């Protein structure tokens, strides 16, 4: 089978039927090629800067782009917009305690707010923060607080073609070596992503989490979970790890969190809402600090930058997120998209992750130098070809070293096609497969990009380019 194989010849690839009916629709339009060409040029060849109305299929992110359920829309009408002590906060607090297990909850406007607070609370200048691969905003907050991120993920995670059921695992030898080199007192916490976004949405195993916890406890080091896609990670554990096949996703999620001391959460992912997040901790002293800092950067500790109605919708979303029918269909939809691309000969990261399909731009555009931003160039071409918006996850996203100003090295050069929850249908993915496969067939015709405008922080959001 090659990349010329018609889509209808790939019917053996399973598709998980959606466990919902659609009762409201949002019209989308397809621009002509000339219109798309004008739009991407005006955006400085950066799909992030496109107007959403000029995008046909928006795979830029799964963060806050999902569709809420009828129960969530109804929950919006239950908003208690009191400034202090909103009943919706206590509903959210109860849902987090039930399904994530942490004792104390501080709401934030989104996950980035929680990252800011935990970094300010725990990191001192000169500290080192080990983690299973960086995420741009997480690492930036750690660096702004004076810390240095240290990658301790297993080596397979940096190899797009390497097999592995749990490529998000921590390499315990790397963590031990860091502790020995800098001392436990210079490590405020281990930062665990589950799943690992920059590795292609790869999960971490329960056994590995348990081992990380044990090693960290030996040295008095906290473990902090980035929980935004931890329900997806729990599903992978259920499907792939021995001893968990007969446990519910909800049970597995609770066990995962029990191996950590705190979590940051963007509710815009697993919790199925368009805005909001939280910081959850077990220690009363940390809760007191967080409750004070949230006043400065977010809002009162019982709303944290969120409206009461949004907290209510999030509480409902948490309940829905751990339902087997929902999470299985969600992950299978992403898998279907990725496996169809793979069957067409398009280089993707395998196994397919939980929230996105990642194109391996190094193999896709192997004639371009990394200095020519192949992943960014591929993202531009997907838009030109079919109105598909994606995002670069490679050289551009890696940014620059805050001390030297030199570009950070990215082992992976990827284009992320993140799938909004409960939004697109099978025919959308079939269309996208045909479009991406057509780009792959003419890939050698593409030339690279030159960076002409570079913001100081998180440059991939606002950078501008020109064609070489």
């Amino acid at each position: 089978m090659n990349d010329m194989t018609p889509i209808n010849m790939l019917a053996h690839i399973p598709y998980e039927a959606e466990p919902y009916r659609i009762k409201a629709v949002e019209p989308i339009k397809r621009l002509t090629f000339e219109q798309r060409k004008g739009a991407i040029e005006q955006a400085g060849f950066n799909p992030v800067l496109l107007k959403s109305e000029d995008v046909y299929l928006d795979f830029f992110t799964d963060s806050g782009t999902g569709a809420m359920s009828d129960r969530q829309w109804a929950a919006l009408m239950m908003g208690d917009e009191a400034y202090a002590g909103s009943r919706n906060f206590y509903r959210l607090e109860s849902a987090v305690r039930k399904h994530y297990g942490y004792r104390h909850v501080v709401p934030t406007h989104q996950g980035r707010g929680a990252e800011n607070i935990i970094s300010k609370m725990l990191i001192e200048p000169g500290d080192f923060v080990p983690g299973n691969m960086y995420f741009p905003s997480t690492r930036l907050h750690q660096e702004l607080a004076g810390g240095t991120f240290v990658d301790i993920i297993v080596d397979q995670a940096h190899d797009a073609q390497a097999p592995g059921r749990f490529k998000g695992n921590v390499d315990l030898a790397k963590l031990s070596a860091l502790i020995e080199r800098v001392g436990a007192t210079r490590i405020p916490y281990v930062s665990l992503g589950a799943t690992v976004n920059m590795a292609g949405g790869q999960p971490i195993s329960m056994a590995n989490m348990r081992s990380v916890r044990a090693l960290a406890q030996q040295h008095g080091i906290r473990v902090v979970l980035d929980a935004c896609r931890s329900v997806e990670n729990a599903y992978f554990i259920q499907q792939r790890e021995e001893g968990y096949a007969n446990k519910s996703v909800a049970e597995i999620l609770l066990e995962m969190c029990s191996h950590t001391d705190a979590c940051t959460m963007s509710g815009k992912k697993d919790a199925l809402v368009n805005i909001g997040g939280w910081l959850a901790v077990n220690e009363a002293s940390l809760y007191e600090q967080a409750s004070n800092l949230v006043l400065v950067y977010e809002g009162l500790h019982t709303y944290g930058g969120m409206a009461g109605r949004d907290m209510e919708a999030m509480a409902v979303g948490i309940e829905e997120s751990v339902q087997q029918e929902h999470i299985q269909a969600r992950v299978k939809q992403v898998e279907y998209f990725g496996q169809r691309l793979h069957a067409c000969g398009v280089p993707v990261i395998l196994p397919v992750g939980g929230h996105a399909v990642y194109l391996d731009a190094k193999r896709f555009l192997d004639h371009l130098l990394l200095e020519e931003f192949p992943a960014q160039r591929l993202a531009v071409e997907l838009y030109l070809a079919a109105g598909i918006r994606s995002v670069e996850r490679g050289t551009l996203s890696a940014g620059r070293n805050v001390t030297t100003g030199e570009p950070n090295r990215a082992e992976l050069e990827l284009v992320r096609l993140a799938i909004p929850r409960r939004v697109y249908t099978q025919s959308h993915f079939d269309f996208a497969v045909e479009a991406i496969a057509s780009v792959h067939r003419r890939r050698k015709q593409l030339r690279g990009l030159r960076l002409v405008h570079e913001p100081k922080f998180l440059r991939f959001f606002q950078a501008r380019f020109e064609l070489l």
Side-chain angles (χ1 to χ4, degrees):
M1 189 173 296
N2 57 44
D3 61 353
M4 297 296 289
T5 304
I7 293 299
N8 59 12
M9 295 293 290
L10 304 174
H12 66 283
I13 298 175
Y15 184 81
E16 188 77 16
E18 293 84 355
Y20 52 81
R21 292 192 296 256
I22 298 170
K23 64 170 65 176
V25 295
E26 176 188 358
I28 54 177
K29 63 180 180 180
R30 289 180 62 190
L31 301 183
T32 66
F33 173 78
E34 289 301 323
Q35 288 173 325
R36 294 196 297 271
K37 183 173 181 289
I40 197 66
E41 287 175 353
Q42 186 175 1
F45 296 97
N46 188 347
V48 180
L49 299 178
L50 290 165
K51 295 178 180 178
S52 66
E53 63 183 12
D54 293 338
V55 174
Y56 180 56
L57 297 181
D58 203 340
F59 298 147
F60 170 50
T61 183
D62 63 319
S63 180
T65 56
M68 292 201 302
S69 69
D70 53 355
R71 292 177 63 242
Q72 287 181 289
W73 280 106
L76 292 178
M77 299 304 297
M78 301 299 292
D80 172 10
E81 306 306 341
Y83 188 88
S86 165
R87 66 173 175 268
N88 308 124
F89 163 73
Y90 298 105
R91 173 94 164 83
L92 173 62
E93 181 185 56
S94 176
V96 174
R97 284 174 171 172
K98 176 182 177 182
H99 289 292
Y100 290 81
Y102 301 102
R103 297 188 185 95
H104 307 290
V105 181
V106 177
T108 58
H109 77 283
Q110 62 180 65
R112 212 161 294 169
E115 291 173 351
N116 178 45
I117 291 172
I118 196 76
S119 297
K120 288 183 178 298
M121 284 168 49
L122 299 182
I123 299 173
E124 297 289 340
D127 281 351
F128 295 84
V129 185
N132 54 344
M133 201 173 284
Y134 80 98
F135 185 72
S137 66
T138 310
R139 184 178 67 184
L140 178 60
H141 282 118
Q142 293 165 352
E143 290 174 344
L144 291 175
T148 298
F149 175 80
V150 180
D151 191 357
I152 56 167
I153 202 166
V154 292
D155 290 341
Q156 299 97 299
H158 293 287
D159 184 347
Q161 301 180 66
R165 293 178 298 170
F166 293 102
K167 290 169 69 173
N169 279 355
V170 166
D171 186 321
L172 296 172
K174 292 180 183 178
L175 178 55
S176 295
L178 178 67
I179 294 171
E180 183 176 350
R181 177 168 66 88
V182 305
T185 59
R186 302 311 302 167
I187 301 175
Y189 61 91
V190 178
S191 181
L192 283 187
T195 56
V196 182
N197 193 339
M198 302 296 282
Q202 300 300 313
I204 180 173
S205 72
M206 189 74 79
N208 188 250
M209 291 189 73
R210 193 180 300 116
S211 296
V212 170
R213 174 66 161 178
L215 179 58
Q217 281 187 321
Q218 289 177 19
H219 298 277
I221 300 171
R222 296 183 178 93
V223 179
V224 176
L225 175 68
D226 178 348
C228 68
R229 298 183 183 90
S230 53
V231 179
E232 293 174 6
N233 200 107
Y235 175 78
F236 282 124
I237 289 173
Q238 182 192 63
Q239 298 299 308
R240 298 179 182 178
E241 190 163 357
E242 185 178 355
Y244 289 92
N246 296 321
K247 290 193 175 185
S248 70
V249 169
E251 290 172 324
I252 296 169
L253 177 63
L254 265 178
E255 185 178 341
M256 287 172 58
C257 295
S258 74
H259 298 309
T260 68
D261 298 285
C263 85
T264 58
M265 178 66 175
S266 171
K268 299 162 67 176
K269 282 84 169 178
D270 277 350
L272 299 167
V273 291
N274 304 122
I275 197 67
W278 71 75
L279 171 63
V281 299
N282 286 326
E283 298 169 58
S285 60
L286 290 184
Y287 174 64
E288 183 176 357
Q289 291 181 58
S291 295
N292 189 238
L293 280 174
V294 78
L295 294 171
V296 180
Y297 297 104
E298 302 284 317
L300 196 68
H301 63 285
T302 54
Y303 78 88
M306 296 179 65
R309 55 184 174 269
D310 292 320
M311 288 190 284
E312 189 71 22
M314 187 184 291
V316 174
I318 291 170
E319 297 284 348
E320 293 179 353
S321 72
V322 296
Q323 294 171 359
Q324 184 74 24
E325 296 82 0
H326 158 74
I327 192 60
Q328 179 167 299
R330 191 290 189 281
V331 174
K332 289 291 185 181
Q333 188 179 63
V334 178
E335 182 183 26
Y336 171 84
F337 185 25
Q339 290 293 348
R340 288 225 157 184
L341 286 169
H342 177 62
C344 290
V346 176
V348 299
I349 285 193
L350 294 174
V352 178
H355 73 288
V357 174
Y358 290 74
L359 307 180
D360 184 354
K362 278 186 180 178
R363 285 189 289 156
F364 202 118
L365 300 179
D366 57 5
H367 61 290
L368 296 185
L369 301 174
L370 285 180
E371 293 78 13
E372 297 173 325
F373 301 100
Q376 183 73 14
R377 180 62 181 92
L378 180 53
V380 168
E381 194 63 25
L382 298 186
Y383 177 74
L384 282 170
I388 297 170
R389 176 155 63 177
S390 55
V391 68
E392 185 268 8
R393 282 289 177 254
T395 303
L396 182 65
S397 293
R400 294 183 180 274
N401 184 286
V402 292
T403 303
T404 67
E406 292 297 312
N408 289 316
R409 183 183 179 189
E411 297 287 345
L412 297 172
E413 183 74 7
L414 308 174
V415 172
R416 186 185 72 182
L417 299 156
I419 310 306
R421 293 161 182 81
R422 306 188 294 202
V423 170
Y424 292 115
T425 65
Q426 179 176 344
S427 60
H428 287 121
F429 296 114
D430 290 341
F431 170 85
V433 168
E434 291 188 1
I436 296 168
S438 72
V439 173
H440 186 250
R441 287 192 292 271
R442 56 180 176 82
R443 60 192 180 276
K444 295 297 185 181
Q445 302 172 19
L446 304 184
R447 61 188 190 274
L449 295 169
R450 179 186 297 112
L451 185 62
V452 296
H453 172 68
E454 181 178 0
K456 184 176 181 180
F457 300 124
L458 301 176
R459 62 182 186 171
F460 64 91
F461 279 120
Q462 296 170 323
R464 288 180 173 271
F465 301 82
E466 62 183 17
L467 284 174
L468 291 173

